[in-house]
Amino acid sequence: MTGPASFARKPQRRDRLIREHVHDPYKVRIKLPEPTVCSQCGAVWLRGRWQWGEAPAGAHRTLCPACQRLRDKAPAGLLHLGGEFFKAHREEILNLARNNVEQQRREHPLKRLIGVEERADGVEISFTDTHLPRGVGEAIERAFDGSLEIQYTDESNLVRARWVR
């Protein structure tokens, strides 16, 4: 057979597995009805994002991703603080970290501190957001110098940062 019919297109396969680049089980995968309010912290899902505000009467209820991470103790970011300088200025550095997180939380409900855990070589701070370890680490580095290393992983939605001085 000659002509255009001999070059007929093959049907496209539709059974290919599409892999997520980053897997975050806490990311909202469905469109939430508006308005929706977090039953724990009071954040409101409105105009496609979580924000602080007054929840209208009759709003749907669910847990926001930050409250889910807090409940499960599943951080999106970790910041390790260590070194001799850290030991000598521990409270001052931790206060700077807490103030930085509080400032972010006032504007962004999903950016919160999960906890501060003592380690043999310092302290590890866990966060509900992937951007906080970098932001807090950079604020500490600007205030106290030292060395900040940040490690991103492609497979999981976890950021690890380490500040030492």
Side-chain angles (χ1 to χ4, degrees):
M1 184 175 207
T2 60
S6 63
F7 296 103
R9 298 183 90 201
K10 292 182 183 178
Q12 283 188 321
R13 290 188 55 168
R14 300 200 187 278
D15 62 345
R16 293 192 178 121
L17 177 64
I18 299 172
R19 295 185 181 177
E20 280 184 272
H21 181 66
V22 174
H23 177 68
D24 184 3
Y26 294 94
K27 184 176 181 178
V28 177
R29 303 226 185 278
I30 59 170
K31 183 172 176 147
L32 293 175
E34 292 190 15
T36 296
V37 64
C38 177
S39 54
Q40 189 165 340
C41 70
V44 179
W45 174 265
L46 198 58
R47 292 186 290 283
R49 67 183 185 94
W50 289 101
Q51 51 194 295
W52 296 117
E54 195 65 34
H60 295 85
R61 294 192 155 306
T62 190
L63 273 182
C64 70
C67 287
Q68 290 174 15
R69 284 187 179 279
L70 284 163
R71 177 195 63 201
D72 298 344
K73 293 182 176 63
L78 299 169
L79 173 61
H80 181 85
L81 305 172
E84 292 303 316
F85 183 85
F86 172 73
K87 289 178 186 174
H89 298 88
R90 181 182 190 283
E91 287 309 310
E92 188 178 357
I93 294 170
L94 288 177
N95 284 338
L96 175 64
R98 286 185 187 103
N99 290 339
N100 194 286
V101 172
E102 182 57 28
Q103 180 182 3
Q104 288 291 318
R105 187 199 62 79
R106 275 189 240 125
E107 294 179 34
H108 309 282
L110 302 185
K111 294 186 176 188
R112 298 193 215 153
L113 179 87
I114 293 177
V116 178
E117 191 174 320
E118 295 294 326
R119 300 285 184 182
D121 58 344
V123 167
E124 188 171 77
I125 305 174
S126 53
F127 305 99
T128 60
D129 184 76
T130 58
H131 301 285
L132 280 174
R134 177 185 204 114
V136 172
E138 287 176 349
I140 293 171
E141 187 179 40
R142 279 191 305 273
F144 300 102
D145 289 329
S147 172
L148 178 66
E149 297 173 5
I150 302 168
Q151 180 183 42
Y152 298 93
T153 57
D154 286 336
E155 301 82 33
S156 68
N157 200 27
L158 180 67
V159 175
R160 293 178 185 273
R162 180 178 180 83
W163 178 84
V164 178
R165 178 172 170 203

